[in-house]
Amino acid sequence: MPALTTSSDGFLLHGEPFRIVSGAVHYFRVHPDQWADRLRKARLMGLNTVETYLPWNLHEPEPGRLVLDGFLDLPRWLRLAQDEGLHVLLRPGPFICAEWDDGGLPSWLLADPGIRPRSSDPRFTAAFDGYLDRLLPALRPFTAAHGGPVIAVQVENEYGAYGDDTAYLKHVHQALRDRGVEELLYTCDQADTEHLAAGSLPGTLATVTFGGRVEENLAALRAHQPEGPLMCAEFWVGWFDHWGGPHHVRSAADAAADLDRLLSAGASVNIYMFHGGTN
């Protein structure tokens, strides 16, 4: 049984009521010498969980070659998170967005001009399956089922904004299960009726992403999913900058007021970002 389960209106961790209060920390954008410091600051801020994407294009720079060292030493980052007493949400994609080149899809995928990324095209799913075959054995010891910090894993990423190939989403879901991921699986989409319909999977927890209009967006999730936890999987407290463009800033007071509304509604949250790092 997964460590993290759902009730009619929330999460249970080992059977006890639990609210996820998480923040995003992308290990691949933070110098490894700073990982322990940033994770400690996350805990000191009051977070009980941290979240990260996994960039496929860095972890598998060419077909069949897995990289898990230096800035990409995810096992070390997971150990440090656990040492700090933090739970972890993993978001392996295959597409991660993350304000990252091609959403983390490897450039070598495009060597086949007819391939259809983020679809049930067998050329695409076979490439992702091969990546998981190499990646997941190194990560399995860090799942909660094996005493590790990882309590949930995301299926794809805001897929409803891109397509509606439910067979593809089912493939990603099953690919994780077939390779030993026992923990809670979830999807995330923008809090839009059409996005939620296209990007979610029956029987899989749906979560939403937004930065404001808290009550309206949580209501959209509840309309789509009448029972289960309310969770904002990306609560946008800032925005990314384009190179050479203006610096985007959101006032702390404005973000804090919306965060208070979110927590007052009983929802779980993942603050995006807790620590942004750099490219």
Side-chain angles (χ1 to χ4, degrees):
M1 183 176 176
L4 186 70
T5 56
T6 63
S7 67
S8 62
D9 63 353
F11 289 106
L12 302 171
L13 186 63
H14 304 298
E16 296 297 323
F18 181 72
R19 188 208 299 251
I20 296 171
V21 183
S22 174
V25 185
H26 296 165
Y27 59 94
F28 52 95
R29 282 176 158 136
V30 181
H31 195 287
D33 289 350
Q34 297 175 329
W35 286 350
D37 171 78
R38 301 306 190 260
L39 291 166
R40 173 149 297 179
K41 285 171 175 160
R43 181 179 61 77
L44 293 175
M45 194 179 86
L47 304 183
N48 57 30
T49 305
V50 286
E51 169 270 302
T52 187
Y53 281 124
L54 280 62
W56 180 8
N57 61 342
L58 293 193
H59 282 298
E60 193 176 22
E62 54 196 50
R65 182 167 74 89
L66 185 70
V67 179
L68 281 176
D69 59 12
F71 275 76
L72 300 174
D73 192 346
L74 180 54
R76 176 173 172 253
W77 187 85
L78 291 169
R79 275 193 297 273
L80 289 170
Q82 185 167 29
D83 290 347
E84 202 53 67
L86 293 162
H87 305 292
V88 176
L89 311 175
L90 286 185
R91 306 170 83 188
F95 178 84
I96 63 171
C97 187
E99 295 70 58
W100 192 254
D101 282 356
D102 288 336
L105 298 179
S107 57
W108 50 260
L109 272 177
L110 305 180
D112 182 344
I115 197 167
R116 289 182 294 112
R118 304 182 76 189
S119 81
S120 46
D121 180 341
R123 294 165 295 182
F124 181 74
T125 56
F128 185 59
D129 288 351
Y131 167 57
L132 292 181
D133 286 339
R134 289 176 278 279
L135 174 73
L136 289 181
L139 302 187
R140 198 172 299 122
F142 299 97
T143 61
H146 295 271
V150 176
I151 56 173
V153 178
Q154 186 175 291
V155 177
E156 243 282 351
N157 186 69
E158 291 187 331
Y159 185 68
Y162 177 80
D164 59 2
D165 186 346
T166 304
Y168 161 63
L169 289 180
K170 287 179 178 175
H171 181 98
V172 175
H173 184 287
Q174 195 59 43
L176 294 166
R177 287 284 185 244
D178 288 346
R179 288 159 182 80
V181 176
E182 302 172 44
E183 306 311 325
L184 180 83
L185 298 180
Y186 68 100
T187 59
C188 91
D189 283 283
Q190 294 163 42
D192 172 273
T193 302
E194 292 181 2
H195 289 194
L196 281 164
S200 59
L201 272 174
T204 302
L205 178 70
T207 69
V208 285
T209 64
F210 57 81
R213 305 199 321 275
V214 172
E215 294 83 1
E216 175 186 335
N217 286 313
L218 290 178
L221 175 58
R222 185 50 84 218
H224 172 79
Q225 185 171 257
E227 283 197 347
L230 291 170
M231 179 165 177
C232 180
E234 289 183 15
F235 173 59
W236 305 322
V237 294
W239 202 246
F240 61 92
D241 291 347
H242 289 285
W243 185 261
H247 179 46
H248 293 84
V249 176
R250 180 178 184 183
S251 79
D254 181 63
D258 274 338
L259 179 61
D260 189 54
R261 292 184 187 98
L262 225 174
L263 296 175
S264 296
S268 285
V269 65
N270 176 56
I271 295 167
Y272 193 91
M273 302 283 297
F274 165 69
H275 177 54
T278 178
N279 291 348

